[in-house]
Amino acid sequence: IIAEAAWMDAEFRDLGSAYLAQNYVVTLGMPESAEARRKRKLALENFQFTCLQKRAESGDADAQVELAHKYIFGSKYNELNRDKAFFWFRRAAEAGDAEAQFELGRARDADAAERDPEQAFDWYKKSAAQNYAPGLREAGRCLFYGEGVTQDHKQAAALFEKAAKQNDAESMVFLDTMREHGGWCRKNADRGKKLLDAALELDQLGIGLAKLRLSALNEAEQEEA
């Protein structure tokens, strides 16, 4: 037992040294060879994943969400597994985590095999109730189009406004369209343009979601015309 305890102490000491080197560029007796460093790095990543899993199993909602994301994308120490991902998202969502509630809504929204607009809206609504910007935006989108809920542009605009205050670019695009249209909420073309300009400026820092949303809304408007 004493020998095993000594081995564990040495292992954790080495992992701690590896953590300091990886995250803070502080070296405390790190192995010199590249192969030894590679093995230590892999051991550290495995150790961190194991710790994350234990935190998730103990009921830590933040850890459950982080673990779910790892199963969504896959990594060296866990497979890409959507079932496991949504198991952990559901655990966190039922505990009241807004991000997990949004993710469950998105799953019911985007998964063709299990698409359920009403369930999607219910999860988005729970996320929005906690003022989580993506949840506000997607609940607003459901209300805007009438997906899974009775269409209500006034409520949609109110949710988009809350998300826009958190610099959500897509919500700004929705609001621009609604302000420009005038029939969906109080017309204010000047404010709409300011919101659109701000959204496109934010887009330069992201991956162009505002432009995609603007294009989709423009196409829908042309089809209606």
Side-chain angles (χ1 to χ4, degrees):
I1 294 174
I2 294 173
E4 186 177 349
W7 175 84
M8 289 179 65
D9 284 346
E11 185 71 10
F12 280 102
R13 183 190 64 240
D14 290 344
L15 287 171
S17 296
Y19 180 83
L20 289 171
Q22 181 178 321
N23 294 281
Y24 300 102
V25 198
V26 174
T27 303
L28 298 176
M30 283 285 289
E32 292 183 359
S33 75
E35 179 62 17
R37 287 197 296 272
R38 185 188 70 81
K39 287 182 179 179
R40 191 63 64 197
K41 182 174 182 292
L42 291 175
L44 173 63
E45 290 172 354
N46 188 31
F47 175 71
Q48 289 174 326
F49 181 80
T50 300
C51 289
L52 177 65
Q53 194 160 20
K54 287 181 178 178
R55 284 172 51 211
E57 289 168 354
S58 72
D60 185 324
D62 289 337
Q64 289 167 351
V65 171
E66 187 178 345
L67 186 58
H69 280 301
K70 287 187 180 295
Y71 280 117
I72 284 287
F73 298 109
S75 72
K76 293 176 183 176
Y77 293 101
N78 64 281
E79 75 277 25
L80 189 155
N81 189 317
R82 290 179 62 83
D83 289 339
K84 287 185 179 180
F86 290 108
F87 168 81
W88 288 113
F89 276 139
R90 181 171 288 278
R91 283 276 300 271
E94 289 173 349
D97 186 272
E99 182 181 355
Q101 291 166 345
F102 162 75
E103 291 290 355
L104 282 181
R106 188 160 64 167
R108 291 291 171 260
D109 210 358
D111 192 327
E114 299 183 22
R115 193 165 191 274
D116 187 328
E118 290 185 5
Q119 268 196 36
F121 176 70
D122 283 344
W123 284 115
Y124 288 146
K125 184 170 65 173
K126 288 176 182 178
S127 179
Q130 299 189 66
N131 207 37
Y132 184 63
L136 288 163
R137 179 191 66 240
E138 293 307 311
R141 180 187 58 77
C142 290
L143 286 159
F144 180 84
Y145 289 115
E147 292 184 359
V149 65
T150 303
Q151 192 174 53
D152 189 325
H153 289 128
K154 185 176 179 180
Q155 281 192 47
L159 293 175
F160 290 142
E161 289 283 4
K162 289 182 179 180
K165 287 178 180 176
Q166 298 181 52
N167 290 328
D168 185 84
E170 288 182 83
S171 294
M172 293 174 180
V173 172
F174 270 113
L175 283 171
D176 164 64
T177 300
M178 297 178 84
R179 296 296 181 194
E180 193 68 36
H181 189 281
W184 291 333
C185 62
R186 184 179 298 174
K187 187 169 183 177
N188 188 334
D190 288 342
R191 180 156 188 268
K193 185 178 183 307
K194 287 179 181 178
L195 285 164
L196 182 59
D197 289 344
L200 295 178
E201 185 176 343
L202 284 169
D203 240 11
Q204 294 176 9
L205 307 175
I207 57 175
L209 291 177
K211 288 181 182 176
L212 288 173
R213 182 65 71 185
L214 179 62
S215 176
L217 286 167
N218 286 340
E219 286 177 11
E221 200 170 335
Q222 287 169 10
E223 286 177 9
E224 285 184 9

